[in-house]
Amino acid sequence: MRWLGVRQTPLAVSGTRNLRATWSLLVALTMAACGVVHAADVDASTPVELQPYRVHLLLADRRPDGVAREKLVEELSSTSDRTWGRRWALQLESRDPSPWSNHRAFRRFRPETFAADTDVDAFDVRYFVQVSALPVGLQLQVRAWEPLWNHASPVLGASVMDPRDAPLRILELCRDLFRPRAVWEKTNDYSARLIVQGGAIAAPDAEFPLIEPQEIFTPWLVARNREGAITRQQAVPWTCFVLEDVVDGRASVRVVSGLRAPLGAKPRGRIDYVAVAARPQWTSTRLDCYSVSQPPRALAAHRVELTPVDLSPPASEESPTPPTPELVLTDRLGAVRIDAAGRPPMVWAAVYSGTLKLATVPIVPGSAEAVRLDLPDDSIRLQAEGQLQLLTSELVDTVALRAVVMSAARAAAKKNDWPVVKDKMAEARKIGDPKPLLERVSAVRVPAAAAALAKKDRTTEQRVQRMCDETAEMVRHYLNPEKLNLLQEELDELEKVDQQTKADVRELETPRAPSQPAVISAPKEPPKPSPAAPPPKPVGF
């Protein structure tokens, strides 16, 4: 078992491995009882939660007083035992300060150049400390370099008035740059378990905690060859672990990722599953947005929505109300700066191209100086969307103009000006004809879909087809001739009523012929009733 290497080894061992783990635990406790743990005394077979961190501290003291330099080294060692205790296997080394002749050179030098001939597994973190004299007190500067991830930290500086405070202040700066490690094992595609290195070792000083509550870790995959040398390191993209229920360095984690199944892929070969804490070391993180086209193109003027991530466990099953996102735009270089001050430890960054959401990824502000987000080339869809937006604006103008003409037709109908009504209705039908706009939708659809097919971008083709279908449906809905037909029927009825009214008025106003004198005839006598028939005689008379 390598240092921090789990190589797909289960967290719960049995049989012979249990005996080895028990023996390693006894060895570690015996070493701890004997005194200080040094880097050379660390056994790689020790359980991860009992393994100290191998820390290499290079001290470049620019003061001419050699006695003061030696005293600082001794005080650093004793102060480290009092603050970090057995969690650090510290190796102190005095360094010639000539490569860091001044503060500017110290900030510009590349830490990896000091370990070109050093094995990556030789130590976990290396600190570069520069001490220089001030008129009153000392000036301290610290940088950190972690060879496994090739991570170089920014420079932290401080000044002390009393040289006796320098050892503690140096270790405090190292604490601010320290990032704990862990090994992890996935339980399924969306959850994992994690063991923090040194998590079971007691902390002698509460001001120097190893991990914080709800600590955020970034998972990594480290590939090795048969000889055990590292061939490749790769972080699981846009994925973070949030610690939950930490007991003696062992914890379950909540996976926060911008991927659908971040732990779904099964790596092949000799893989170490490791993780490192994502702590803010910079004042801000620059998010660079580029397209995956050839050559890559900076996505300028793209909308980015920043939403805080709630790291606390949910109190109930009901989903809380999402907070209002912060809206920012990428600059001409496709970058947006996310400040760490005044923000939660983690935020969601959603990048939009027009109305389409390209990606949503978690970001820990300040954990990296810059991160690059490669997004799909959306130029074809964006161009089609722009043309459809222009067409939609013309549709709005057309609908408004048709409504104005229809209102003019109604106004003319109230004045019984039927020739004007006919002209306005003919104009409204000409304006409201959806055929020209539908032809323009097809003119956008065909070349955009062809360009997407040429790039074998099926997703963009489907998006273009969907946008064009929605626009065509909107044109048919708002330029539906049914409204004109109903208005035409209404106006026809009004015209008929008006014509009937005018006909009645003309009939009443038409003069009649002179009337003849009336002839009065004598009343006729009523007809006389006919005599009644005699009753029939009885038979036999």
Side-chain angles (χ1 to χ4, degrees):
M1 179 178 179
R2 298 190 176 277
W3 189 268
L4 271 185
V6 292
R7 196 173 301 166
Q8 303 180 6
T9 302
L11 298 182
V13 295
S14 60
T16 306
R17 293 184 179 180
N18 265 333
L19 295 176
R20 292 179 180 176
T22 304
W23 175 253
S24 300
L25 177 61
L26 293 175
V27 171
L29 293 177
T30 304
M31 292 168 54
C34 294
V36 182
V37 180
H38 299 282
D41 301 330
V42 175
D43 186 3
S45 62
T46 306
V48 176
E49 62 270 27
L50 294 175
Q51 289 181 5
Y53 291 86
R54 297 164 300 170
V55 180
H56 189 195
L57 195 148
L58 295 176
L59 179 62
D61 196 340
R62 299 173 58 191
R63 293 178 296 175
D65 189 356
V67 176
R69 294 198 300 266
E70 294 178 359
K71 184 178 180 180
L72 178 59
V73 172
E74 296 176 358
E75 292 179 351
L76 271 174
S77 179
S78 60
T79 306
S80 175
D81 298 339
R82 189 176 67 253
T83 54
W84 288 105
R86 295 184 293 108
R87 294 173 298 172
W88 271 20
L90 181 62
Q91 178 183 351
L92 281 169
E93 179 182 349
S94 295
R95 193 78 181 187
D96 181 14
S98 57
W100 314 325
S101 57
N102 51 43
H103 300 308
R104 181 176 299 179
F106 183 75
R107 292 176 180 272
R108 288 184 176 180
F109 88 96
R110 300 179 60 184
E112 58 269 21
T113 58
F114 283 81
D117 55 347
T118 305
D119 185 10
V120 174
D121 292 329
F123 54 88
D124 296 327
V125 59
R126 171 176 281 177
Y127 290 103
F128 301 88
V129 182
Q130 184 188 55
V131 180
S132 57
L134 295 176
V136 178
L138 298 177
Q139 176 68 34
L140 311 175
Q141 287 187 320
V142 178
R143 294 188 69 179
W145 180 59
E146 300 173 49
L148 183 58
W149 342 98
N150 195 19
H151 173 80
S153 74
V155 177
L156 293 186
S159 59
V160 293
M161 301 292 292
D162 190 349
R164 292 175 296 182
D165 298 333
L168 180 59
R169 193 70 185 99
I170 290 174
L171 291 177
E172 289 176 348
L173 295 176
C174 294
R175 175 198 60 190
D176 296 339
L177 296 177
F178 178 70
R179 304 194 308 169
R181 296 185 181 186
V183 297
W184 60 276
E185 178 190 34
K186 75 171 185 177
T187 55
N188 53 48
D189 293 346
Y190 304 97
S191 63
R193 292 182 296 173
L194 186 140
I195 302 179
V196 181
Q197 180 181 351
I201 303 177
D205 191 344
E207 296 295 329
F208 288 76
L210 186 63
I211 56 175
E212 299 288 345
Q214 298 175 352
E215 186 82 66
I216 302 173
F217 279 79
T218 302
W220 282 69
L221 302 177
V222 180
R224 297 179 181 270
N225 56 20
R226 293 184 178 181
E227 289 74 21
I230 295 177
T231 58
R232 185 181 180 186
Q233 307 104 310
Q234 180 179 357
V236 179
W238 306 113
T239 302
C240 296
F241 291 163
V242 181
L243 291 189
E244 295 179 347
D245 304 328
V246 183
V247 178
D248 293 336
R250 294 174 176 260
S252 60
V253 298
R254 178 160 57 97
V255 180
V256 179
S257 178
L259 308 179
R260 293 184 179 179
L263 308 181
K266 184 178 180 181
R268 298 180 180 179
R270 298 169 177 84
I271 303 297
D272 293 346
Y273 296 80
V274 295
V276 62
R279 291 182 173 179
Q281 296 181 342
W282 285 266
T283 57
S284 63
T285 295
R286 188 182 74 250
L287 176 63
D288 298 327
C289 300
Y290 284 88
S291 66
V292 294
S293 59
Q294 294 297 331
R297 178 173 52 87
L299 301 180
H302 279 57
R303 177 165 53 97
V304 180
E305 294 185 357
L306 303 177
T307 307
V309 178
D310 187 9
L311 300 181
S312 59
S316 61
E317 296 182 357
E318 298 181 359
S319 58
T321 304
T324 303
E326 177 185 355
L327 302 181
V328 292
L329 289 178
T330 58
D331 57 17
R332 60 187 181 88
L333 299 178
V336 59
R337 190 165 294 277
I338 305 174
D339 296 328
R343 295 186 186 275
M346 186 188 300
V347 296
W348 286 109
V351 184
Y352 288 83
S353 174
T355 58
L356 176 66
K357 181 188 293 186
L358 296 180
T360 303
V361 295
I363 294 179
V364 180
S367 62
E369 185 177 9
V371 291
R372 175 166 173 165
L373 178 58
D374 292 324
L375 298 167
D377 187 9
D378 197 47
S379 57
I380 297 175
R381 189 207 63 83
L382 193 61
Q383 182 179 3
E385 182 181 5
Q387 295 174 352
L388 293 177
Q389 288 289 347
L390 292 176
L391 193 147
T392 302
S393 63
E394 293 183 14
L395 173 62
V396 173
D397 296 340
T398 301
V399 173
L401 181 59
R402 189 183 70 166
V404 170
V405 175
M406 292 171 64
S407 299
R410 286 193 178 93
K414 292 180 180 179
K415 298 178 182 179
N416 299 327
D417 192 353
W418 302 112
V420 175
V421 170
K422 292 181 180 180
D423 294 341
K424 293 298 181 182
M425 289 301 297
E427 183 180 357
R429 290 188 180 279
K430 183 178 180 181
I431 294 174
D433 187 9
K435 186 176 179 180
L437 292 179
L438 293 177
E439 291 178 351
R440 292 182 57 184
V441 172
S442 299
V444 174
R445 183 199 305 266
V446 173
L453 285 176
K455 290 186 175 182
K456 298 181 180 180
D457 192 349
R458 182 65 178 172
T459 303
T460 300
E461 180 194 4
Q462 293 176 353
R463 289 171 178 171
V464 169
Q465 295 286 0
R466 184 175 65 252
M467 287 191 306
C468 292
D469 291 341
E470 292 174 354
T471 305
E473 182 63 26
M474 185 168 52
V475 170
R476 296 188 186 96
H477 174 73
Y478 287 102
L479 295 183
N480 191 350
E482 185 65 24
K483 295 182 179 180
L484 285 175
N485 296 336
L486 293 176
L487 179 60
Q488 186 67 54
E489 293 178 1
E490 179 185 350
L491 296 179
D492 291 344
E493 291 293 333
L494 292 176
E495 185 178 5
K496 289 181 181 179
V497 172
D498 181 59
Q499 292 177 357
Q500 184 65 33
T501 303
K502 290 181 179 180
D504 294 342
V505 170
R506 285 196 300 269
E507 184 178 355
L508 292 175
E509 293 178 351
T510 301
R512 295 182 178 179
S515 58
Q516 299 294 332
V519 178
I520 301 175
S521 59
K524 297 181 179 180
E525 295 181 357
K528 295 181 179 181
S530 58
K537 293 181 179 182
V539 180
F541 289 93

